[in-house]
Amino acid sequence: MKNQLPDNIKKDIKEIENDNTSGSVELAKKSAEIIINLVNQTGDLEQIKKASLSLVEAQPNMASIFNLVNNLMFYIDKNKKQQLKKIVTNYCKNYLNNLENFEKKIKDQAINLIKNRARIITHSYSSTVLGTLLFLKESKKEISVICTESRPKNEGIKLAKELGKNKIKVKLLVDSAIFSLIPYADIILIGGDAITENGLINKIGTKGIATVAQHYKTPIYALCSTEKLLPKKYPINLDHLKNPNEIIQYNISNVTAVNYYFDLTPLDFFTGFITEKEILKPEEIKEIIINLKIHDNFSDLLSDEDLDIPLI
Amino acid sequence: MKNQLPDNIKKDIKEIENDNTSGSVELAKKSAEIIINLVNQTGDLEQIKKASLSLVEAQPNMASIFNLVNNLMFYIDKNKKQQLKKIVTNYCKNYLNNLENFEKKIKDQAINLIKNRARIITHSYSSTVLGTLLFLKESKKEISVICTESRPKNEGIKLAKELGKNKIKVKLLVDSAIFSLIPYADIILIGGDAITENGLINKIGTKGIATVAQHYKTPIYALCSTEKLLPKKYPINLDHLKNPNEIIQYNISNVTAVNYYFDLTPLDFFTGFITEKEILKPEEIKEIIINLKIHDNFSDLLSDEDLDIPLI
């Protein structure tokens, strides 16, 4: 079949789909590499479109992947007189460069915001948060960090290890214990997988932390470049359930383990969003989102449904 | 030494101290049995006073134990002409009877409050909540229950098993996932180890759940008989840390695992308190607390300090 993707590409996309531990930026980088590989193998636009759609479907909540391929489609439309291989390769390389620059710019914003001796709370694992905390340390700011385990996959322990290895003092708590410390922290920094007009999509538990932070007026910032922003009608899927064995490994009569990975936190709960441009307020994020467009390649995905997790 | 407690009593009190899984009511029952054993062995008032103090110190956050022995001291003062053995035995048996009656009365209040087909959220394990949920089921109310794991000791899984065994449909979530379901639940029922003027002391995580419940206006009730109420100046100790090995079992450089078991949730976060008397509002609970008295036997324990967990 002409439109069937090559086996190696299918395998790579499957790996993206099964990747439960990498952050959004890492997955976007891998996706860009898959697209570059594909255009080198085939040079066929239909295949590029098909792979783009498959990548979005593999990790529908990862905005960086969607923005990579959505903007690629618009870029191809605009430059259709050039050779496809050249367009795609240039675009992807540029996107990857941008991602790295964005991280640097986020760190620069953060260092101005965070005072010396700050007691910082974070949740789960975010490569942007990790990079920023390490940059604070390199910049001779004394910080201490409070990490959550982040059940079921314990990515918070992974973050704690990286911070500890770099001589940052860390307190590690079970997820439920973080609320008691929120009133005493100077700032809460979290990552984010995507931002829609309805809220920030991030690792499960963010919603509780942000609600309590708002109650106690503890400043809470999401570290997100604007390539995490998603247009209206983009079909976020929060009730996509993961393997229940990550919660319990045996059967209990009448008990169903329900394994959500992500939750949705209203944008207004955040003090601000540290982006590559500047620190944006919730209403500024909403204004940007209104103007985002979805390419026709993804029109079959569009949804009018409400985004929050329904009670299953 | 005259005042040294007998070895078997010391051993029993040590068991109370090391008991990390029993609820407040179970521990009070065991404590009453220890006091009855002691008075049968010695009949010495000083020993009873010493054991009472040791029991309170073994589980300082368990109001039922404090109220058992605090009220016993007042009762002994009032009846000092009678034989100590008889006074203590009668009092303890009466207290144990009361505890059971209280549970029954709490169930009766709950059944009027909870509608058929209610979707109920709970957290961790409470024998009173378990008893009430089973009573709802026996009373032919169809209910479904959402339980949390309750890290680090997973008492929520213990609750889920008991409910499932009794044919109640249960969804089991990681602790961080509960917040997304709070807007969709009909009611949240939780237990409680103690109530002070500053808040409800309960298993870690309650504070986050109650804050989010208040935000989304989901009714949240604590099931607590009035023997969970503690007088002003009673020395609650929330920063008593448990074994860090319950969080991680190996050393990570610069990382300290901090294991809190309890948190403090302001009374105003609750819709009400289902007691053996009636469903009380936060301000009614506060009024009762103002009039509670501490016996001189415990005067060395008193504290003026603030109760919340400090940032360690």
Side-chain angles (χ1 to χ4, degrees), chain A residues 149 151 164 172 184 254 309, chain B residues 149 151 164 172 184 254 256 309:
Chain A
E149 288 183 311
R151 285 275 298 151
L172 177 68
Y184 304 102
N254 296 308
I309 295 182
Chain B
E149 289 183 310
R151 285 274 299 149
L172 178 67
Y184 304 101
N254 296 307
T256 310
I309 295 183

Side-chain angles (χ1 to χ4, degrees), chain A residues 119 149 151 164 169-173 179-180 184 207 215-216 253-254 256 258 263 269 308-309 311, chain B residues 119 149 151 164 169-173 179-180 184 207 215-216 253-254 256 258 263 269 308-309 311:
Chain A
R119 292 161 303 182
E149 288 183 311
R151 285 275 298 151
K169 292 280 172 208
V170 175
K171 306 278 183 200
L172 177 68
L173 307 178
F179 308 107
S180 293
Y184 304 102
K207 189 187 193 109
H215 182 86
Y216 288 101
S253 146
N254 296 308
T256 311
V258 184
D263 63 17
F269 285 21
D308 211 349
I309 295 182
L311 190 62
Chain B
R119 292 161 304 180
E149 289 183 310
R151 285 274 299 149
K169 292 278 172 208
V170 175
K171 306 278 183 200
L172 178 67
L173 308 178
F179 308 106
S180 293
Y184 304 101
K207 189 186 193 109
H215 182 87
Y216 288 102
S253 146
N254 296 307
T256 310
V258 184
D263 63 17
F269 284 22
D308 210 350
I309 295 183
L311 190 61

Side-chain angles (χ1 to χ4, degrees), chain A residues 32-76:
Chain A
E33 282 153 17
I34 292 171
I35 301 276
I36 293 174
N37 279 345
L38 179 62
V39 81
N40 281 329
Q41 272 180 256
T42 73
D44 173 31
L45 178 59
E46 288 311 309
Q47 295 252 2
I48 298 293
K49 284 187 176 179
K50 197 179 173 75
S52 297
L53 199 55
S54 298
L55 280 166
V56 171
E57 285 171 338
Q59 289 276 358
N61 295 345
M62 291 292 174
S64 310
I65 296 179
F66 172 73
N67 281 320
L68 166 76
V69 292
N70 188 51
N71 293 337
L72 171 63
M73 292 301 133
F74 284 120
Y75 189 80
I76 292 172

Side-chain angles (χ1 to χ4, degrees), chain B residues 262-277:
Chain B
F262 300 103
D263 63 17
L264 179 77
T265 305
L267 299 180
D268 298 333
F269 284 22
F270 290 91
T271 316
F273 295 81
I274 307 181
T275 74
E276 78 285 4
K277 293 179 179 169

Side-chain angles (χ1 to χ4, degrees), chain B residues 35 54 78 85-86 91 144 148 176-177 190 204 224 232 241 251 253 277 286 300 302 306:
Chain B
I35 300 277
S54 298
K78 232 196 294 181
K85 188 170 157 183
K86 204 174 147 191
Y91 167 83
S144 63
T148 56
S176 279
I190 61 160
I204 194 86
C224 282
K232 281 180 163 221
L241 299 175
N251 282 329
S253 146
K277 293 179 179 169
K286 286 179 198 167
D300 286 352
L302 302 190
D306 234 16

Side-chain angles (χ1 to χ4, degrees), chain B residues 39 48 78 85 89 111-112 120 124-125 134 143 148 172 193 195 201 207 212 233 268 270 298 306 310:
Chain B
V39 80
I48 299 292
K78 232 196 294 181
K85 188 170 157 183
T89 311
I111 204 159
N112 292 323
I120 303 169
S124 189
Y125 178 96
L134 296 181
I143 53 167
T148 56
L172 178 67
D193 293 305
I195 300 178
I201 289 150
K207 189 186 193 109
V212 175
K233 297 199 177 184
D268 298 333
F270 290 91
F298 306 102
D306 234 16

Side-chain angles (χ1 to χ4, degrees), chain A residues 54 61 121 181 194 215 277 289:
Chain A
S54 298
N61 295 345
I121 284 178
L181 300 187
H215 182 86
K277 292 178 178 169
I289 287 174

